Amino acid sequence: MPPRSPQPRGAAQLNPRPVPSSPPIAAADLCGAALAVGGWMVGDNVETDIAGGRSAGLRTAWIAAGRQWPAHVRSPDLMAEDVSAAISSLMEWGRHRAVSKS
């Protein structure tokens, strides 16, 4: 068996904090955003995008791209056929929310 290659020097210093539990948390952390104030996770993968977004406390929008949502899985907050439709729906949601707050 070949010897294991050593860890690159300085690798431990690249990310000294624990790895977040989901990609949305990692992305928000890198951007300095606070997920506690809300947000959306938009994606096309049931397990990584939608479940990950939900676990991060985000609303979720699924890009169907001609696929059916699995019957045994809790539905996302929004379903759209493509990215353009998702953006339109999210913009409408934002307008509706702004009007209801006034």
Side-chain angles (χ1 to χ4, degrees):
M1 180 160 39
R4 292 182 58 173
S5 56
Q7 184 176 12
R9 276 189 292 168
Q13 287 80 28
L14 292 177
N15 188 6
R17 294 180 291 183
V19 176
S21 61
S22 73
I25 294 172
D29 190 41
L30 288 171
C31 296
L35 294 181
V37 297
W40 286 84
M41 176 62 181
V42 179
D44 63 353
N45 186 289
V46 174
E47 294 172 2
T48 59
D49 298 331
I50 305 307
R54 195 172 282 132
S55 72
L58 299 171
R59 292 176 185 90
T60 57
W62 182 61
I63 309 299
R67 297 169 293 154
Q68 295 293 316
W69 183 260
H72 65 283
V73 179
R74 181 179 146 204
S75 296
D77 299 294
L78 182 143
M79 290 186 195
E81 184 54 33
D82 55 34
V83 173
S84 178
I87 291 169
S88 295
S89 295
L90 290 171
M91 291 175 69
E92 180 62 30
W93 181 87
R95 282 192 291 273
H96 175 74
R97 184 170 172 157
V99 168
S100 66
K101 283 187 171 185
S102 358

